[in-house]
């Protein structure tokens, strides 16, 4: 099975380079026989239970996405299948920044963490893994109403403003999830990371747009229920991929509430089971709630409050003038008048100017390396918006190439300089460039002076939109924020490799029906050398039970597992559930699915 580097899925092929940088090779060969057994156990459990509570026919959904119960999915196979329904998939290294994750959805691409959970986290893992991403999200992706919501959510989420604290939280969550999935992570390191996450979580302040959207995403895409409060069905990927919580969530102990805009008020903790879940009557309601929230976001509202969000973000954002001109940079200052209307905006550090999401030639972040500042508003004594003035009207106001202009805005900002260029787009003036230019506020505060060079003045009566990131991401964001904390790559000792060999041998016996005489020997080794293991013994019992081999050995293995179940609390439910599926074969359930 080859790594997915050729982008031959149409949706993946459309990904811009700023998103492709997060993609890693799947390296299918790294999955151990224990990993494959973990996948198979979870998937058998999922289907045995989810057949009754999942919204979408589980096996049919798996098959349409190119997944099987028997093997960890190969990304190429998934892409071949998802491509038929207009979607694709890529593998990444654990958590990626929320804005990037959202944007992948907008491109109809599922983001799949390449790693798989450890056997001791088989019921639930706080880290994204291939079980959660593929077995959780992919089976329902064929539903047209649901995938429309998913992609639309991505397009809205990609524009959401985040606070500077959001990235601290992201890094803290990523660090903790990596530690919890590491085989040899010291307990004190995990405790320290948990304490740090708690401290950051408790001091987030007012939630940002991204934080609020993340709540809507969590309570729908990850943990959503659909139907009625009395008899809901699961569609959220977090529940579909958790053999523990998919069962416990249906109990009366977990409160069921209607999903509406008030759901924004409920935060969540990824490390714990959820105390309540939200039920939607249909997927259209999800879109309606999203639309209600989107109407409050900076990308739709613009104005002073949106620039405030951009300044607090402390990361690149884009402000859009009413002329259509887009200014990208780290916003650090603004001016407001007595009515709280914007009078100017300012960025610091590398900035860029674009129109229709395409960077203007000569106006990239290396040219505007020190920042960008420009007035916002209407010229004094003019009834027509600045951007709507024709070249002839501009000339009448003394604004013409190689002529010295003297402009005063309604805010009192005064601009004087030699006009060198007037840029127009779609019948609107968007940018005027000056030499020997001075820009002052009415109080005498200098915003620009001649020795600073060419002054490029944005034109627009107002700021109509502000959104996260760059207008032209591929031109501006050569490398977006990629965490320096990588998921752990395990090196297995010889004893663990021998346990892998036992798992591999059991799988070959089950699949090929050969070397069945090895089963007593393999079980004896498990009993004597790997007393902590339970899953391989479970797979041996499955073969003995269905093939009706070695009745005495079958009885011994069953007694061995039942004793473990009675004495090892962490394994009680896992073993009992495994025994149930052995006696109620998944293959029969599949054949009987409606």
């Amino acid at each position: 099975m080859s790594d997915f580097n050729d982008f031959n899925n149409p949706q993946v092929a459309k990904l811009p380079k700023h998103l492709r940088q997060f993609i890693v090779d799947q390296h299918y060969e790294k999955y151990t026989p224990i990993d494959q057994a973990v996948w198979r156990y979870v998937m058998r459990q999922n289907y045995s239970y989810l057949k009754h509570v999942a919204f979408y026919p589980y096996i049919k959904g798996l098959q349409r996405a190119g997944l099987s119960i028997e093997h960890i999915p190969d990304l190429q196979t998934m892409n071949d299948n998802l491509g038929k329904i207009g979607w694709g998939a890529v593998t990444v290294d654990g958590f990626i920044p929320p804005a990037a994750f959202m944007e992948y959805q907008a491109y109809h691409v599922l983001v799949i963490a390449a790693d798989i959970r450890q056997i001791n986290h088989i019921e639930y893992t706080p880290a994204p893994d291939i079980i959660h991403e593929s077995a959780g999200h992919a089976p329902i992706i064929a539903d047209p109403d649901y995938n429309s919501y998913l992609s639309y959510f991505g397009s809205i989420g990609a524009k959401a403003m985040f606070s500077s604290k959001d990235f601290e939280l992201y890094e803290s969550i990523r660090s903790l999830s990596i530690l919890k999935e590491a085989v040899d992570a010291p307990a004190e390191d995990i405790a320290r990371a948990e304490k740090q996450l708690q401290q950051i979580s408790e001091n987030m302040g007012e939630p940002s747009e991204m934080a609020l959207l993340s709540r809507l995403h969590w309570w729908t895409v990850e943990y959503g229920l659909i139907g009625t409060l009395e008899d809901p069905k699961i569609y959220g990927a977090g529940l579909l991929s958790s053999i523990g919580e998919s069962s416990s969530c249906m109990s009366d102990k977990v409160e069921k509430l209607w999903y509406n805009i008030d759901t924004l008020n409920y935060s969540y903790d990824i490390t714990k089971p959820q105390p309540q879940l939200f039920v939607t009557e249909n997927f259209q309601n999800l879109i309606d709630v999203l639309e209600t929230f989107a109407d409050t976001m900076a990308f739709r509202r613009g104005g002073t409050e949106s620039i405030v969000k951009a300044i607090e973000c402390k990361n690149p954002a884009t402000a859009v003038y009413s002329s259509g001109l887009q200014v990208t940079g780290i916003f650090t200052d603004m001016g407001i008048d007595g009515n709280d209307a914007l009078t100017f905006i300012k960025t610091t550090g590398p900035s860029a100017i674009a129109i229709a999401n395409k960077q203007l030639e000569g106006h990239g972040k290396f040219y505007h390396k020190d920042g960008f500042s420009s007035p916002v508003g209407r010229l004094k004594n003019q009834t027509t918006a600045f951007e709507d003035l024709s070249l002839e009207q501009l000339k009448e106001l003394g604004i013409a190439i190689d002529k010295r202009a003297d402009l005063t805005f309604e805010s009192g900002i005064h601009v004087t300089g030699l006009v060198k260029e007037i840029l127009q787009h779609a019948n609107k003036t968007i940018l005027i460039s000056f030499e020997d230019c001075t820009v002052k506020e009415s109080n005498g505060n200098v915003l620009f002076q001649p020795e600073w060079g060419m002054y490029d003045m944005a034109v627009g009566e107002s700021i109509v939109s502000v959104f996260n990131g760059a207008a032209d991401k591929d031109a501006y964001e050569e490398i977006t924020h990629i965490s320096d904390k990588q998921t752990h790559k395990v090196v297995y000792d010889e004893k663990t490799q021998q346990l892998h060999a036992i798992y591999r041998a059991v799988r070959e016996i089950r699949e090929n029906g050969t070397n069945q005489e090895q089963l007593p020997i393999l079980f004896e080794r498990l009993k004597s050398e790997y007393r902590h293991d339970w899953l391989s013994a479970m797979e041996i019992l499955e073969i003995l039970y269905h093939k009706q081999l070695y009745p005495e050995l079958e009885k011994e293995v069953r007694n061995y597992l039942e004793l473990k179940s009675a004495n090892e609390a962490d394994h009680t439910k896992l073993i009992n559930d495994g025994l149930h599926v052995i006696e109620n074969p998944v293959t029969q359930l599949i054949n009987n699915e409606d």
Side-chain angles (χ1 to χ4, degrees):
M1 297 182 180
S2 61
D3 289 325
F4 190 69
N5 290 316
D6 53 0
F7 303 107
N8 60 355
N9 173 284
Q11 301 308 129
V12 179
K14 295 175 185 176
L15 290 173
K17 66 183 181 182
H18 72 274
L19 291 181
R20 291 193 187 193
Q21 67 181 313
F22 293 101
I23 301 172
V24 299
D25 289 335
Q26 185 181 19
H27 289 301
Y28 196 90
E29 74 285 350
K30 77 180 177 183
Y31 299 123
T32 69
I34 294 179
D35 292 337
Q36 295 286 359
V38 165
W39 170 272
R40 183 173 183 269
Y41 176 90
V42 171
M43 297 304 292
R44 282 160 59 84
Q45 291 297 327
N46 274 355
Y47 188 64
S48 177
Y49 177 70
L50 292 174
K51 173 177 169 55
H52 306 290
V53 296
F55 166 72
Y56 199 75
Y58 195 68
I59 287 298
K60 290 180 181 177
L62 287 175
Q63 291 170 341
R64 289 198 69 178
L67 306 177
S68 79
I69 282 180
E70 292 296 320
H71 298 278
I72 294 171
D74 167 51
L75 192 64
Q76 184 61 66
T77 303
M78 283 191 69
N79 269 291
D80 290 345
N81 283 269
L82 289 172
K84 297 172 184 176
I85 54 176
W87 280 73
V90 296
T91 41
V92 299
D93 184 52
F95 280 113
I96 64 173
F101 181 87
M102 298 287 187
E103 199 172 357
Y104 273 107
Q105 287 182 190
Y107 278 92
H108 289 209
V109 174
L110 290 179
V111 176
I112 296 175
D115 290 334
I116 188 168
R117 66 194 63 178
Q118 297 176 54
I119 190 170
N120 59 322
H121 291 159
I122 196 167
E123 287 191 279
Y124 171 79
T125 172
D129 78 330
I130 197 164
I131 292 177
H132 168 77
E133 307 292 357
S134 57
H137 289 293
I140 194 175
I141 205 73
D143 185 284
D145 292 332
Y146 176 76
N147 71 48
S148 293
Y149 169 69
L150 197 63
S151 60
Y152 187 54
F153 198 112
S155 66
I156 299 295
K159 296 180 177 70
M161 298 298 299
F162 55 84
S163 72
S164 53
K165 290 183 177 292
D166 287 335
F167 252 119
E168 290 181 45
L169 183 67
Y170 157 70
E171 284 288 0
S172 183
I173 290 173
R174 179 178 167 87
S175 297
L176 178 60
S177 69
I178 289 171
L179 280 171
K180 284 196 167 185
E181 274 302 305
V183 175
D184 53 356
E188 58 268 24
D189 288 357
I190 293 177
R192 192 180 304 114
E194 287 177 332
K195 185 177 180 181
Q196 182 188 40
L197 175 57
Q198 182 180 357
Q199 289 174 340
I200 293 173
S201 299
E202 292 174 352
N203 293 279
M204 290 293 292
E206 195 69 22
S208 67
E209 289 180 355
M210 181 60 80
L212 292 173
L213 264 181
S214 294
R215 292 178 184 178
L216 295 186
H217 195 271
W218 183 263
W219 298 123
T220 60
V221 175
E222 297 295 349
Y223 276 77
L225 301 175
I226 188 169
T228 65
L229 294 181
E230 297 74 26
D231 184 29
K233 301 297 183 185
I234 296 171
Y235 72 90
L239 294 173
L240 290 174
S241 61
S242 171
I243 57 177
E245 208 164 356
S246 62
S247 175
S248 63
C249 79
M250 287 303 180
S251 74
D252 292 337
K253 293 179 181 178
V254 179
E255 187 178 11
K256 312 301 188 300
L257 303 171
W258 285 117
Y259 179 77
N260 54 43
I261 194 65
D262 294 333
T263 305
L264 284 169
N265 298 321
Y266 291 79
S267 59
Y268 60 90
D269 184 343
I270 69 163
T271 66
K272 298 175 182 177
Q274 309 309 313
Q276 77 283 307
L277 294 173
F278 296 88
V279 184
T280 185
E281 289 185 287
N282 50 55
F283 290 135
Q284 181 58 46
N285 179 53
L286 304 186
I287 294 176
D288 294 343
V289 171
L290 180 59
E291 273 293 290
T292 299
F293 179 69
D295 284 341
T296 71
M297 293 173 63
F299 85 96
R300 287 190 179 173
R301 292 179 68 91
T304 304
E305 64 177 299
S306 299
I307 295 295
V308 170
K309 291 179 180 180
I311 292 172
E312 207 291 315
C313 173
K314 299 179 183 177
N315 278 273
T318 297
V320 184
Y321 277 79
S322 49
S323 63
L325 191 75
Q326 299 163 311
V327 178
T328 294
I330 297 176
F331 286 83
T332 53
D333 200 4
M334 66 179 183
I336 56 174
D337 63 18
N339 297 315
D340 288 335
L342 286 168
T343 59
F344 76 88
I345 57 174
K346 180 184 178 182
T347 66
T348 300
S351 303
I353 304 173
I355 192 78
N357 298 326
K358 289 297 180 184
Q359 184 172 291
L360 290 178
E361 187 176 352
H363 288 281
K365 64 181 182 179
F366 298 109
Y367 178 70
H368 296 287
K369 64 184 187 332
D370 299 318
F372 183 86
S373 177
S374 187
V376 179
R378 185 174 297 212
L379 290 177
K380 192 173 183 179
N381 299 322
Q382 290 296 313
T383 56
T384 303
F386 196 172
E387 62 265 34
D388 292 332
L389 294 171
S390 67
L391 288 175
E392 189 61 34
Q393 288 172 310
L394 289 173
K395 190 174 182 179
E396 291 174 2
L397 295 173
I399 306 171
I401 303 295
D402 291 330
K403 298 291 184 181
R404 192 160 190 86
D406 200 322
L407 312 177
T408 301
F409 287 79
E410 286 183 342
S411 63
I413 289 178
H414 183 245
V415 179
T416 178
L418 183 66
V419 177
K420 299 304 295 181
E421 186 176 24
I422 300 173
L423 283 182
Q424 292 193 310
H425 177 81
N427 297 318
K428 288 185 181 290
T429 301
I430 60 173
L431 190 75
I432 301 176
S433 298
F434 298 85
E435 282 183 353
D436 190 26
C437 186
T438 300
V439 183
K440 288 184 180 181
E441 291 185 277
S442 58
N443 61 8
N445 181 43
V446 176
L447 299 177
F448 195 89
Q449 50 195 25
E451 54 266 34
W452 294 354
M454 182 77 75
Y455 181 65
D456 298 296
M457 186 185 77
V459 176
E461 186 176 41
S462 61
I463 298 297
V464 296
S465 177
V466 179
F467 57 85
N468 167 59
D472 186 340
K473 289 182 170 61
D474 278 347
Y476 186 89
E477 300 177 13
E478 295 173 347
I479 296 293
T480 54
H481 181 91
I482 296 181
S483 177
D484 56 4
K485 297 181 179 66
Q486 302 298 301
T487 54
H488 294 290
K489 309 306 176 189
V490 182
V491 177
Y492 299 101
D493 59 27
E494 184 177 349
K495 185 172 183 181
T496 303
Q497 291 181 41
Q498 290 174 359
L499 179 59
H500 290 169
I502 293 175
Y503 271 86
R504 186 181 300 111
V506 172
R507 176 177 280 271
E508 289 173 355
I509 293 170
R510 183 180 68 249
E511 292 181 344
N512 303 325
T514 57
N515 300 319
Q516 294 172 346
E517 69 280 0
Q518 291 293 313
L519 290 173
I521 300 169
L522 294 170
F523 179 62
E524 197 59 39
R525 286 194 61 196
L526 285 173
K527 279 199 309 180
S528 60
E529 300 176 37
Y530 301 98
R531 296 288 297 183
H532 65 280
D533 187 80
W534 59 273
L535 184 51
S536 189
M538 183 74 65
E539 293 199 326
I540 288 174
L541 178 62
E542 179 190 347
I543 297 170
L544 296 171
Y545 178 83
H546 290 296
K547 298 293 185 183
Q548 298 183 337
L549 298 170
Y550 307 115
E552 288 302 315
L553 179 61
E554 180 196 334
K555 183 178 180 180
E556 182 184 358
V557 177
R558 185 181 293 273
N559 289 340
Y560 175 80
L561 286 168
E562 288 175 347
L563 193 61
K564 269 187 167 297
S565 172
N567 295 330
E568 300 174 12
D570 288 347
H571 295 146
T572 300
K573 185 177 186 302
L574 293 168
I575 290 173
N576 291 344
D577 288 350
L579 293 174
H580 173 79
V581 171
I582 287 174
E583 293 165 0
N584 299 272
V586 172
T587 50
Q588 291 180 18
L589 292 171
I590 294 170
N591 293 335
N592 292 333
E593 185 179 62
D594 293 335

